[in-house]
Amino acid sequence: MFKWQGRIDSEDGSRGLRWHQVIDHDDHLKHPKSVALVGLACDLGVQANKGRVGAVDGPNSIRAALANLPWHWDAALADLGDSHAKHDLASVQNDYAAKVTEGLAHHSLVIGLGGGHEIGWGSYLGLEAALANKQQRIGIINFDAHFDLRRPAPDTSSGTPFRQVAEHRQQHGLPFDYACLGVSKAANTPALFDFAAASGTRFLFDHQCQMDAAVTLLAPMLRDIDELYVTICLDAFPAAIAPGVSAPSALGISPQFVITMLDWLAAQQSRLNYRWRLCDIAEMNPRYDSDNRTAKLAARLAFETVDALIGK
């Protein structure tokens, strides 16, 4: 388990607490609001996708960046630990999915820490297992330069999770509600655009990512879903901001755009009648990070997700 530690401002009492001071208190299951962290410490998906390995250390690098952030909310915080790759990708995804399901049973919000974007398939499985009614519609919003709709060749990878979701939904006669914001035309083949069209995937190119365009794209999907799952791939951001990823972006999207969208998505729940209680952050690769820039960005995105969903 990660050792949570950091600065202590004892002179400020309870108003000076930081993440490392509030995590895993014994009473966290009794608190009406709580956040759970779950890690996927795995490189198998990135390796299978012919990417740069190093994501196995991603979850702990994000935790280290979270540790000293201030805790602003009247809520509990728990760390459910990591799922580690031992033999094959499916086994670690299933183990992680079980932790997500457990987290959703006891906590208001679960935040997954990656690891490669194979976390997406595990997060989906965990959320689906947590639903009492398996016919409920799950909407997925992915902030990403890549569709991650690759065909397994023959194995699954960090590039296949949402194709796996699409095929799983089709096999069970369920709709596939998926939107990808930040798509780079220079990073996706025509075959991927073909599958995106065939599967009804909604998307915005990286250079189109403005609030008005995103709201227009997402509002029809959000009206139809019961549960929302948001996944943030760190390679959606410019390489100068997020160098610590498997596949850095030459252009990318703005962190401010993503944070604005997180706030908007949280605010729409009551109006559009869906629940949002699962988010993950993917492709954190500390081996290629510089001055912990990517880890700090990942931590800030986790912070903003908690603020949007727990703090308001």
Side-chain angles (χ1 to χ4, degrees), residues 252-298:
I253 61 177
S254 158
Q256 182 60 58
F257 165 72
V258 176
I259 292 169
T260 300
M261 290 306 302
L262 295 177
D263 284 336
W264 182 78
L265 289 168
Q268 297 307 302
Q269 291 183 94
S270 57
R271 189 174 75 84
L272 297 179
N273 200 31
Y274 63 84
R275 290 195 302 177
W276 175 23
R277 50 199 181 118
L278 175 62
C279 179
D280 61 43
I281 300 170
E283 296 291 341
M284 178 65 227
N285 188 332
R287 187 174 300 181
Y288 297 97
D289 208 0
S290 174
D291 196 28
N292 295 319
R293 276 180 286 171
T294 316
K296 289 176 182 177
L297 174 60

Short mmCIF file of all heavy atoms in Angstrom, two decimals, residues 252-298:
data_model
loop_
_atom_site.label_atom_id
_atom_site.label_comp_id
_atom_site.label_asym_id
_atom_site.label_seq_id
_atom_site.Cartn_x
_atom_site.Cartn_y
_atom_site.Cartn_z
N GLY A 252 -3.39 18.84 -28.55
CA GLY A 252 -4.06 18.62 -27.28
C GLY A 252 -5.16 19.62 -26.98
O GLY A 252 -5.44 20.54 -27.76
N ILE A 253 -5.78 19.44 -25.82
CA ILE A 253 -6.88 20.29 -25.38
C ILE A 253 -6.49 20.98 -24.07
O ILE A 253 -5.54 20.58 -23.40
CB ILE A 253 -8.20 19.51 -25.22
CG1 ILE A 253 -8.06 18.41 -24.17
CG2 ILE A 253 -8.64 18.93 -26.56
CD1 ILE A 253 -9.35 17.64 -23.90
N SER A 254 -7.25 21.96 -23.69
CA SER A 254 -6.95 22.77 -22.52
C SER A 254 -7.45 22.12 -21.24
O SER A 254 -8.60 21.65 -21.18
CB SER A 254 -7.61 24.14 -22.67
OG SER A 254 -7.79 24.78 -21.46
N PRO A 255 -6.64 22.09 -20.18
CA PRO A 255 -7.15 21.63 -18.88
C PRO A 255 -8.35 22.44 -18.42
O PRO A 255 -9.27 21.90 -17.80
CB PRO A 255 -5.95 21.81 -17.95
CG PRO A 255 -4.75 21.73 -18.82
CD PRO A 255 -5.18 22.37 -20.11
N GLN A 256 -8.37 23.74 -18.72
CA GLN A 256 -9.49 24.58 -18.31
C GLN A 256 -10.78 24.12 -18.97
O GLN A 256 -11.85 24.13 -18.33
CB GLN A 256 -9.23 26.04 -18.68
CG GLN A 256 -10.34 26.99 -18.25
CD GLN A 256 -10.56 26.97 -16.75
OE1 GLN A 256 -9.65 27.25 -15.99
NE2 GLN A 256 -11.77 26.63 -16.32
N PHE A 257 -10.72 23.68 -20.23
CA PHE A 257 -11.91 23.15 -20.90
C PHE A 257 -12.43 21.92 -20.16
O PHE A 257 -13.64 21.80 -19.91
CB PHE A 257 -11.58 22.79 -22.36
CG PHE A 257 -12.60 21.92 -23.03
CD1 PHE A 257 -13.84 22.42 -23.40
CD2 PHE A 257 -12.33 20.57 -23.27
CE1 PHE A 257 -14.80 21.61 -24.00
CE2 PHE A 257 -13.27 19.76 -23.88
CZ PHE A 257 -14.51 20.27 -24.24
N VAL A 258 -11.54 21.02 -19.79
CA VAL A 258 -11.96 19.80 -19.10
C VAL A 258 -12.57 20.13 -17.75
O VAL A 258 -13.63 19.60 -17.37
CB VAL A 258 -10.78 18.82 -18.96
CG1 VAL A 258 -11.20 17.60 -18.15
CG2 VAL A 258 -10.28 18.40 -20.33
N ILE A 259 -11.95 21.01 -17.00
CA ILE A 259 -12.47 21.38 -15.68
C ILE A 259 -13.85 22.04 -15.80
O ILE A 259 -14.77 21.76 -15.02
CB ILE A 259 -11.47 22.29 -14.95
CG1 ILE A 259 -10.21 21.50 -14.58
CG2 ILE A 259 -12.10 22.90 -13.69
CD1 ILE A 259 -9.07 22.34 -14.11
N THR A 260 -14.01 22.91 -16.80
CA THR A 260 -15.31 23.53 -17.03
C THR A 260 -16.37 22.48 -17.34
O THR A 260 -17.51 22.55 -16.85
CB THR A 260 -15.22 24.55 -18.19
OG1 THR A 260 -14.27 25.55 -17.84
CG2 THR A 260 -16.57 25.20 -18.45
N MET A 261 -15.99 21.49 -18.13
CA MET A 261 -16.93 20.41 -18.48
C MET A 261 -17.26 19.54 -17.27
O MET A 261 -18.40 19.09 -17.11
CB MET A 261 -16.36 19.56 -19.61
CG MET A 261 -16.31 20.26 -20.96
SD MET A 261 -17.91 20.94 -21.49
CE MET A 261 -18.93 19.46 -21.47
N LEU A 262 -16.29 19.29 -16.40
CA LEU A 262 -16.56 18.51 -15.19
C LEU A 262 -17.61 19.22 -14.33
O LEU A 262 -18.55 18.58 -13.83
CB LEU A 262 -15.28 18.31 -14.39
CG LEU A 262 -14.16 17.48 -15.04
CD1 LEU A 262 -12.93 17.44 -14.14
CD2 LEU A 262 -14.63 16.07 -15.36
N ASP A 263 -17.46 20.52 -14.17
CA ASP A 263 -18.44 21.29 -13.40
C ASP A 263 -19.82 21.22 -14.06
O ASP A 263 -20.84 21.06 -13.38
CB ASP A 263 -18.00 22.75 -13.28
CG ASP A 263 -16.89 22.94 -12.26
OD1 ASP A 263 -16.77 22.11 -11.34
OD2 ASP A 263 -16.15 23.93 -12.38
N TRP A 264 -19.84 21.37 -15.37
CA TRP A 264 -21.12 21.35 -16.09
C TRP A 264 -21.80 19.98 -15.99
O TRP A 264 -23.00 19.89 -15.74
CB TRP A 264 -20.90 21.72 -17.56
CG TRP A 264 -22.16 21.77 -18.36
CD1 TRP A 264 -23.08 22.78 -18.38
CD2 TRP A 264 -22.66 20.76 -19.24
NE1 TRP A 264 -24.12 22.47 -19.23
CE2 TRP A 264 -23.88 21.23 -19.77
CE3 TRP A 264 -22.18 19.52 -19.65
CZ2 TRP A 264 -24.64 20.49 -20.68
CZ3 TRP A 264 -22.93 18.77 -20.55
CH2 TRP A 264 -24.15 19.26 -21.05
N LEU A 265 -21.03 18.93 -16.15
CA LEU A 265 -21.59 17.57 -16.08
C LEU A 265 -22.15 17.28 -14.68
O LEU A 265 -23.19 16.64 -14.55
CB LEU A 265 -20.52 16.54 -16.44
CG LEU A 265 -20.11 16.51 -17.90
CD1 LEU A 265 -18.84 15.68 -18.08
CD2 LEU A 265 -21.23 15.96 -18.78
N ALA A 266 -21.46 17.74 -13.66
CA ALA A 266 -21.96 17.55 -12.30
C ALA A 266 -23.26 18.31 -12.09
O ALA A 266 -24.20 17.81 -11.46
CB ALA A 266 -20.91 18.00 -11.29
N ALA A 267 -23.34 19.52 -12.63
CA ALA A 267 -24.52 20.36 -12.44
C ALA A 267 -25.74 19.84 -13.20
O ALA A 267 -26.89 20.16 -12.82
CB ALA A 267 -24.21 21.79 -12.87
N GLN A 268 -25.53 19.07 -14.26
CA GLN A 268 -26.65 18.61 -15.09
C GLN A 268 -27.36 17.39 -14.52
O GLN A 268 -28.43 17.00 -15.03
CB GLN A 268 -26.15 18.26 -16.50
CG GLN A 268 -25.56 19.42 -17.27
CD GLN A 268 -26.49 20.61 -17.35
OE1 GLN A 268 -27.61 20.52 -17.84
NE2 GLN A 268 -26.02 21.74 -16.84
N GLN A 269 -26.82 16.76 -13.50
CA GLN A 269 -27.39 15.49 -13.00
C GLN A 269 -28.86 15.61 -12.62
O GLN A 269 -29.68 14.79 -13.04
CB GLN A 269 -26.59 14.98 -11.80
CG GLN A 269 -25.20 14.52 -12.11
CD GLN A 269 -24.52 13.97 -10.88
OE1 GLN A 269 -24.54 12.78 -10.62
NE2 GLN A 269 -23.92 14.85 -10.11
N SER A 270 -29.18 16.59 -11.80
CA SER A 270 -30.56 16.70 -11.33
C SER A 270 -31.50 17.13 -12.46
O SER A 270 -32.65 16.68 -12.52
CB SER A 270 -30.65 17.70 -10.17
OG SER A 270 -30.14 18.96 -10.56
N ARG A 271 -31.01 17.96 -13.36
CA ARG A 271 -31.87 18.44 -14.44
C ARG A 271 -32.15 17.37 -15.46
O ARG A 271 -33.27 17.24 -15.98
CB ARG A 271 -31.22 19.66 -15.12
CG ARG A 271 -32.13 20.37 -16.10
CD ARG A 271 -31.50 21.63 -16.64
NE ARG A 271 -30.46 21.34 -17.62
CZ ARG A 271 -30.71 21.12 -18.92
NH1 ARG A 271 -31.95 21.13 -19.37
NH2 ARG A 271 -29.72 20.88 -19.76
N LEU A 272 -31.14 16.55 -15.77
CA LEU A 272 -31.29 15.54 -16.82
C LEU A 272 -31.48 14.14 -16.25
O LEU A 272 -31.60 13.16 -17.00
CB LEU A 272 -30.07 15.58 -17.75
CG LEU A 272 -29.90 16.89 -18.52
CD1 LEU A 272 -28.66 16.83 -19.40
CD2 LEU A 272 -31.13 17.18 -19.38
N ASN A 273 -31.47 14.01 -14.92
CA ASN A 273 -31.86 12.77 -14.25
C ASN A 273 -30.92 11.59 -14.52
O ASN A 273 -31.35 10.48 -14.80
CB ASN A 273 -33.30 12.39 -14.64
CG ASN A 273 -33.92 11.43 -13.62
OD1 ASN A 273 -33.59 11.48 -12.44
ND2 ASN A 273 -34.79 10.56 -14.10
N TYR A 274 -29.62 11.84 -14.42
CA TYR A 274 -28.65 10.75 -14.44
C TYR A 274 -27.78 10.86 -13.20
O TYR A 274 -27.76 11.90 -12.53
CB TYR A 274 -27.79 10.77 -15.71
CG TYR A 274 -26.92 12.01 -15.88
CD1 TYR A 274 -25.67 12.12 -15.28
CD2 TYR A 274 -27.37 13.08 -16.68
CE1 TYR A 274 -24.89 13.26 -15.44
CE2 TYR A 274 -26.59 14.21 -16.85
CZ TYR A 274 -25.35 14.30 -16.23
OH TYR A 274 -24.57 15.43 -16.39
N ARG A 275 -27.05 9.78 -12.89
CA ARG A 275 -26.10 9.79 -11.77
C ARG A 275 -24.68 9.71 -12.31
O ARG A 275 -24.40 8.95 -13.24
CB ARG A 275 -26.34 8.59 -10.84
CG ARG A 275 -27.60 8.65 -10.04
CD ARG A 275 -27.59 7.65 -8.91
NE ARG A 275 -27.40 6.27 -9.39
CZ ARG A 275 -27.29 5.22 -8.57
NH1 ARG A 275 -27.32 5.38 -7.26
NH2 ARG A 275 -27.15 4.00 -9.07
N TRP A 276 -23.79 10.49 -11.68
CA TRP A 276 -22.37 10.41 -12.02
C TRP A 276 -21.59 10.15 -10.73
O TRP A 276 -21.53 10.99 -9.86
CB TRP A 276 -21.91 11.71 -12.68
CG TRP A 276 -20.43 11.73 -12.95
CD1 TRP A 276 -19.60 10.66 -13.08
CD2 TRP A 276 -19.61 12.89 -13.10
NE1 TRP A 276 -18.31 11.06 -13.31
CE2 TRP A 276 -18.29 12.43 -13.32
CE3 TRP A 276 -19.86 14.26 -13.06
CZ2 TRP A 276 -17.22 13.31 -13.51
CZ3 TRP A 276 -18.81 15.14 -13.24
CH2 TRP A 276 -17.50 14.66 -13.48
N ARG A 277 -21.02 8.95 -10.62
CA ARG A 277 -20.29 8.59 -9.41
C ARG A 277 -19.01 7.81 -9.70
O ARG A 277 -18.40 7.25 -8.79
CB ARG A 277 -21.19 7.82 -8.46
CG ARG A 277 -21.94 6.67 -9.09
CD ARG A 277 -23.15 6.22 -8.28
NE ARG A 277 -23.79 5.09 -8.95
CZ ARG A 277 -23.90 3.88 -8.43
NH1 ARG A 277 -23.45 3.64 -7.21
NH2 ARG A 277 -24.47 2.91 -9.10
N LEU A 278 -18.58 7.78 -10.99
CA LEU A 278 -17.35 7.09 -11.35
C LEU A 278 -16.56 7.91 -12.35
O LEU A 278 -17.09 8.37 -13.36
CB LEU A 278 -17.67 5.72 -11.96
CG LEU A 278 -16.47 4.92 -12.50
CD1 LEU A 278 -15.48 4.59 -11.39
CD2 LEU A 278 -16.94 3.64 -13.19
N CYS A 279 -15.29 8.13 -12.03
CA CYS A 279 -14.38 8.83 -12.93
C CYS A 279 -13.02 8.14 -12.83
O CYS A 279 -12.66 7.61 -11.77
CB CYS A 279 -14.26 10.29 -12.51
SG CYS A 279 -13.13 11.29 -13.54
N ASP A 280 -12.29 8.10 -13.92
CA ASP A 280 -10.91 7.62 -13.82
C ASP A 280 -9.98 8.51 -14.63
O ASP A 280 -10.41 9.28 -15.49
CB ASP A 280 -10.77 6.13 -14.20
CG ASP A 280 -11.16 5.81 -15.63
OD1 ASP A 280 -10.80 6.57 -16.55
OD2 ASP A 280 -11.82 4.77 -15.84
N ILE A 281 -8.70 8.40 -14.30
CA ILE A 281 -7.65 9.18 -14.96
C ILE A 281 -6.63 8.18 -15.49
O ILE A 281 -6.07 7.38 -14.72
CB ILE A 281 -7.00 10.17 -13.98
CG1 ILE A 281 -8.06 11.14 -13.45
CG2 ILE A 281 -5.86 10.92 -14.65
CD1 ILE A 281 -7.58 12.00 -12.31
N ALA A 282 -6.40 8.21 -16.81
CA ALA A 282 -5.63 7.15 -17.46
C ALA A 282 -4.33 7.67 -18.08
O ALA A 282 -4.19 8.86 -18.35
CB ALA A 282 -6.48 6.49 -18.56
N GLU A 283 -3.44 6.72 -18.33
CA GLU A 283 -2.19 6.93 -19.06
C GLU A 283 -1.14 7.75 -18.31
O GLU A 283 -0.25 8.34 -18.93
CB GLU A 283 -2.45 7.56 -20.44
CG GLU A 283 -3.25 6.68 -21.38
CD GLU A 283 -2.50 5.43 -21.85
OE1 GLU A 283 -1.26 5.40 -21.75
OE2 GLU A 283 -3.16 4.48 -22.31
N MET A 284 -1.20 7.73 -16.98
CA MET A 284 -0.14 8.39 -16.19
C MET A 284 1.12 7.52 -16.25
O MET A 284 1.11 6.38 -15.82
CB MET A 284 -0.60 8.57 -14.74
CG MET A 284 0.44 9.20 -13.83
SD MET A 284 0.82 10.88 -14.29
CE MET A 284 2.62 10.85 -14.23
N ASN A 285 2.19 8.08 -16.83
CA ASN A 285 3.45 7.34 -17.00
C ASN A 285 4.59 8.17 -16.41
O ASN A 285 5.18 9.00 -17.10
CB ASN A 285 3.68 7.07 -18.50
CG ASN A 285 4.86 6.14 -18.74
OD1 ASN A 285 5.80 6.09 -17.95
ND2 ASN A 285 4.83 5.42 -19.85
N PRO A 286 4.90 7.96 -15.12
CA PRO A 286 5.91 8.80 -14.47
C PRO A 286 7.31 8.65 -15.04
O PRO A 286 8.15 9.53 -14.84
CB PRO A 286 5.86 8.34 -13.00
CG PRO A 286 5.23 7.00 -13.03
CD PRO A 286 4.29 7.00 -14.19
N ARG A 287 7.55 7.58 -15.78
CA ARG A 287 8.88 7.37 -16.37
C ARG A 287 9.24 8.51 -17.33
O ARG A 287 10.42 8.84 -17.51
CB ARG A 287 8.91 6.03 -17.10
CG ARG A 287 10.29 5.62 -17.61
CD ARG A 287 10.26 4.23 -18.18
NE ARG A 287 9.85 3.23 -17.18
CZ ARG A 287 9.76 1.91 -17.44
NH1 ARG A 287 10.05 1.45 -18.66
NH2 ARG A 287 9.38 1.08 -16.50
N TYR A 288 8.23 9.12 -17.95
CA TYR A 288 8.48 10.18 -18.92
C TYR A 288 8.02 11.55 -18.43
O TYR A 288 8.01 12.51 -19.19
CB TYR A 288 7.78 9.84 -20.25
CG TYR A 288 8.34 8.58 -20.86
CD1 TYR A 288 7.70 7.36 -20.67
CD2 TYR A 288 9.53 8.60 -21.58
CE1 TYR A 288 8.22 6.19 -21.22
CE2 TYR A 288 10.06 7.44 -22.12
CZ TYR A 288 9.40 6.23 -21.94
OH TYR A 288 9.92 5.08 -22.47
N ASP A 289 7.66 11.64 -17.16
CA ASP A 289 7.21 12.91 -16.62
C ASP A 289 8.41 13.85 -16.40
O ASP A 289 9.56 13.41 -16.33
CB ASP A 289 6.47 12.70 -15.31
CG ASP A 289 5.43 13.78 -15.05
OD1 ASP A 289 5.30 14.69 -15.88
OD2 ASP A 289 4.74 13.70 -14.01
N SER A 290 8.12 15.14 -16.31
CA SER A 290 9.14 16.15 -16.08
C SER A 290 8.68 17.05 -14.95
O SER A 290 7.61 17.68 -15.05
CB SER A 290 9.37 16.98 -17.36
OG SER A 290 10.25 18.05 -17.13
N ASP A 291 9.44 17.08 -13.86
CA ASP A 291 9.10 17.90 -12.69
C ASP A 291 7.69 17.59 -12.17
O ASP A 291 7.00 18.46 -11.65
CB ASP A 291 9.23 19.39 -13.04
CG ASP A 291 9.27 20.28 -11.80
OD1 ASP A 291 9.73 19.80 -10.75
OD2 ASP A 291 8.84 21.44 -11.89
N ASN A 292 7.27 16.33 -12.36
CA ASN A 292 5.96 15.87 -11.89
C ASN A 292 4.79 16.67 -12.49
O ASN A 292 3.70 16.72 -11.91
CB ASN A 292 5.87 15.91 -10.35
CG ASN A 292 6.83 14.96 -9.70
OD1 ASN A 292 7.00 13.84 -10.14
ND2 ASN A 292 7.48 15.41 -8.63
N ARG A 293 5.01 17.25 -13.66
CA ARG A 293 3.96 18.07 -14.27
C ARG A 293 2.69 17.27 -14.56
O ARG A 293 1.57 17.74 -14.29
CB ARG A 293 4.47 18.70 -15.57
CG ARG A 293 5.26 19.98 -15.37
CD ARG A 293 5.72 20.55 -16.69
NE ARG A 293 6.83 19.79 -17.26
CZ ARG A 293 7.32 19.98 -18.48
NH1 ARG A 293 6.78 20.86 -19.29
NH2 ARG A 293 8.34 19.28 -18.91
N THR A 294 2.87 16.09 -15.11
CA THR A 294 1.70 15.28 -15.48
C THR A 294 0.99 14.76 -14.24
O THR A 294 -0.25 14.76 -14.17
CB THR A 294 2.13 14.11 -16.37
OG1 THR A 294 3.06 14.57 -17.36
CG2 THR A 294 0.93 13.49 -17.08
N ALA A 295 1.76 14.34 -13.24
CA ALA A 295 1.16 13.86 -11.99
C ALA A 295 0.39 14.98 -11.30
O ALA A 295 -0.70 14.77 -10.76
CB ALA A 295 2.24 13.31 -11.07
N LYS A 296 0.95 16.20 -11.33
CA LYS A 296 0.26 17.33 -10.71
C LYS A 296 -1.02 17.66 -11.46
O LYS A 296 -2.04 18.03 -10.84
CB LYS A 296 1.19 18.54 -10.68
CG LYS A 296 2.33 18.40 -9.68
CD LYS A 296 3.28 19.58 -9.75
CE LYS A 296 4.45 19.42 -8.78
NZ LYS A 296 5.43 20.54 -8.91
N LEU A 297 -1.00 17.55 -12.78
CA LEU A 297 -2.22 17.76 -13.56
C LEU A 297 -3.26 16.70 -13.22
O LEU A 297 -4.44 17.01 -13.02
CB LEU A 297 -1.90 17.74 -15.06
CG LEU A 297 -3.12 17.80 -15.99
CD1 LEU A 297 -3.92 19.07 -15.78
CD2 LEU A 297 -2.67 17.68 -17.45
N ALA A 298 -2.83 15.44 -13.15
CA ALA A 298 -3.76 14.36 -12.80
C ALA A 298 -4.38 14.60 -11.43
O ALA A 298 -5.59 14.42 -11.23
CB ALA A 298 -3.03 13.02 -12.83
#
